[in-house]
Every structure is written in structure tokens, then in C-alpha cells.
Amino acid sequence: MAASTIEQPTANNVLVRLRGITNRFGRNTVHENLDLDIRKGEILGLIGGSGTGKSVLLRTIIGLNKQQNGSIEIMGVNMDTATEATKAKVRNSWGVLFQDGALFSSLSVLDNIQFPLREFTHISPALRESIARMKLHMVGLPQDAAPKFPGDLSGGMRKRVGLARALVMDPFLLLLDEPTAGLDPVGAAAFDQLVLTLRNSLGLTVCMVTHDLDSLYAICDRVAVLADKKILAVDTIPKLLDNPYPWIQEYFKGPRGRAAAFGKGVA
Ligand SMILES: Nc1ncnc2c1ncn2[C@@H]1O[C@H](COP(=O)(O)OP(=O)(O)OP(=O)(O)O)[C@@H](O)[C@H]1O
Ligand SMILES: [Mg+2]
């Protein structure tokens, strides 16, 4: 388990508070009366079977998907009732790495990274470029990657460019949707360590959707389990191991779960 400095839950250490969230697409109810708290400074893993609504939940947090019911509070700001100006401030304070990376294939790496600065700030082009180059460095990419196009990069490098873009507005909240999917184990472990370093050095709060058990063991302080349309449990892995819910038992104690636990000396 990652060393955690997370305090006990109090009203003040909750960065994102979801209450009673319901999401429906036609007759498909994806979330029903879902509650979740993301605590300041934690790395929270979000797991659940394919199609259970992990990506929809991230999209709901950032307002790309409007919930039918329930409330979303970020830093104490109710994202449905606050003024536009207040909501805009909160919106500029998160960074997102989407499941498919979502880089613009016709833009260079540097232009992809500085895209949010161009859209949401009045920063001069020269300063935008310096900030983008700094973020490139921050995610461990060489400066000669700057003029390249996404199609010229490996999958791991593209993920890092996506992360650099997610960091470009200096967010306090980082939402990552399966950031290590498709990476080889060495690349995935390096990406995990990068996320951990960023959290530790910048004090970010991270919510990371993942199917990667190694990532959960390596960097997550707590893990939230999405099943039966709600967050069924959210806890440290040792505590989740005692949760009798069959999917949780199968997930952590099936062959892949045992292998990941063995690697961490938990099994
Ligand atoms: N815009 C949309 N319109 C209609 N249905 C949608 C929409 N977005 C998502 N869904 C449905 O919501 C459900 C949850 O999808 P979601 O992509 O959140 O799953 P997921 O847990 O992220 O799965 P995976 O692990 O495969 O990424 C699926 O049944 C999906 O078809
Ligand atoms: Mg998804």
C-alpha cells in the first residue's frame, strides 16, 4: 500500500462529494442513488466490471454528463446551483486524462499540451509554450518530443502527453480513466510511479479508474468499488479483502488478484 497521509474523514477533507447520483440512458439505469467522497490528497482507485459506469461517473463529476438526480460538490461548491463564475473557477482546477487519450491527431505534442491554456486563459503564446515544455519535462518526456504528432509516439508516450495536458492548468484534482491500459508492465509501473510522485510533490488529489491490480496495490490509498449501480464499498485494500461481496472476492482473490497481492507481499 502507498504510504498515506490521509486524515480521518471530516467535512473539510472531502474534495469531491457525490450524493444520490442517478444516471440513466433511456431504459438503461447506470447509477442509482450513488454516493462517493474523494478526500483531499488521496489517490482513489475506482474499479468495477466493464460497462458498470466508471467513465460515466468521471464524466458526471466534470459536468460532461448531466445526472438525472443527485448533487455534486467540489471544494464545497455545488456544481448545479453555484454561479457560472464560481463554477468556471472550479472547472479550471481539474485535469482529465480520458480513457482513449483524446489527443488531437493533427496537433503537435506541444500544441496538444497547451490547448487548454489557449482555450481558457489569456496567457501569451511564449509563456504558453514555456509552460507546455515544463509539463513535458514533468511527465518525463524529452523536449524533442514537442514537435512530433501523436501518431508518431508509442502508446506510453501518448499517455504521458495526455497527462501533461491534464496538468497544464495546474489542477488540484486529477481524474485518470484507465491510464495504464495497453501499456507493458514496465511502462505501466513507471506511469504509476509518476502519478505517485506528482501527488506527493504537488499535493494533488487523484481519482483513477483502473483494471490494473498492480496499480491499485502500488499507489492507491483507497479503492472504490462500483457495482449494482452504486459505490458498494470504498476502503483500503486490506479492508476490502474482508468484504464478502462476491465480485470483490473474485476480483482480489481470483488468479490475477492473487498474483498482484503476491508481488506486494500481501498474499
Ligand atoms: N452517451 C451515452 N449514451 C447512452 N449510453 C451511454 C452513454 N455513455 C455511456 N453509456 C452506457 O453507460 C454504461 C456505462 O458505460 P461506461 O463507459 O461508463 O462503462 P465503464 O465502466 O467505463 O466500462 P469500461 O470498463 O469498459 O470502460 C454502458 O452501458 C454504456 O453503454
Ligand atoms: Mg470506461
Side-chain angles (χ1 to χ4, degrees), residues 25 28 30 48-57 99 177-178 211:
F25 298 104
N28 180 13
V30 178
S50 212
T52 49
K54 303 178 296 296
S55 296
V56 169
L57 193 60
Q99 189 163 3
D177 199 345
E178 299 199 26
H211 286 292

Side-chain angles (χ1 to χ4, degrees), residues 17-196:
R17 184 188 303 276
L18 306 180
R19 287 293 177 274
I21 298 292
T22 295
N23 274 308
R24 228 175 266 119
F25 298 104
R27 295 167 63 183
N28 180 13
T29 300
V30 178
H31 304 131
E32 194 159 34
N33 208 13
L34 175 153
D35 296 342
L36 175 66
D37 286 350
I38 304 176
R39 298 179 191 163
K40 274 182 200 157
E42 75 174 338
I43 300 181
L44 178 71
L46 177 58
I47 63 173
S50 212
T52 49
K54 303 178 296 296
S55 296
V56 169
L57 193 60
L58 290 197
R59 291 169 64 83
T60 305
I61 293 172
I62 61 173
L64 283 182
N65 179 76
K66 180 79 188 89
Q67 74 273 18
Q68 267 79 35
N69 253 315
S71 66
I72 300 170
E73 256 181 44
I74 303 181
M75 278 177 30
V77 172
N78 184 312
M79 295 304 283
D80 291 310
T81 58
T83 63
E84 265 314 308
T86 307
K87 283 192 280 191
K89 271 192 202 153
V90 177
R91 271 189 220 115
N92 283 345
S93 312
W94 61 56
V96 188
L97 176 55
F98 289 101
Q99 189 163 3
D100 55 6
L103 296 176
F104 300 108
S105 56
S106 60
L107 294 184
S108 70
V109 164
L110 205 63
D111 285 341
N112 262 289
I113 296 173
Q114 58 177 310
F115 189 81
L117 295 175
R118 195 189 290 258
E119 286 290 293
F120 302 118
T121 75
H122 299 291
I123 293 174
S124 72
L127 186 54
R128 277 203 311 255
E129 180 170 336
S130 330
I131 295 172
R133 285 188 181 278
M134 190 178 79
K135 301 297 172 183
L136 193 65
H137 180 66
M138 214 180 218
V139 299
L141 288 173
Q143 290 299 320
D144 65 12
K148 292 186 176 160
F149 288 85
D152 302 329
L153 304 177
S154 70
M157 289 173 87
R158 276 201 292 274
K159 298 273 189 193
R160 284 174 188 253
V161 174
L163 184 61
R165 187 175 64 185
L167 290 169
V168 81
M169 301 280 284
D170 292 331
F172 55 76
L173 172 65
L174 197 54
L175 301 166
L176 308 173
D177 199 345
E178 299 199 26
T180 58
L183 301 188
D184 66 73
V186 174
F191 195 97
D192 285 342
Q193 288 310 309
L194 174 60
V195 172
L196 186 60

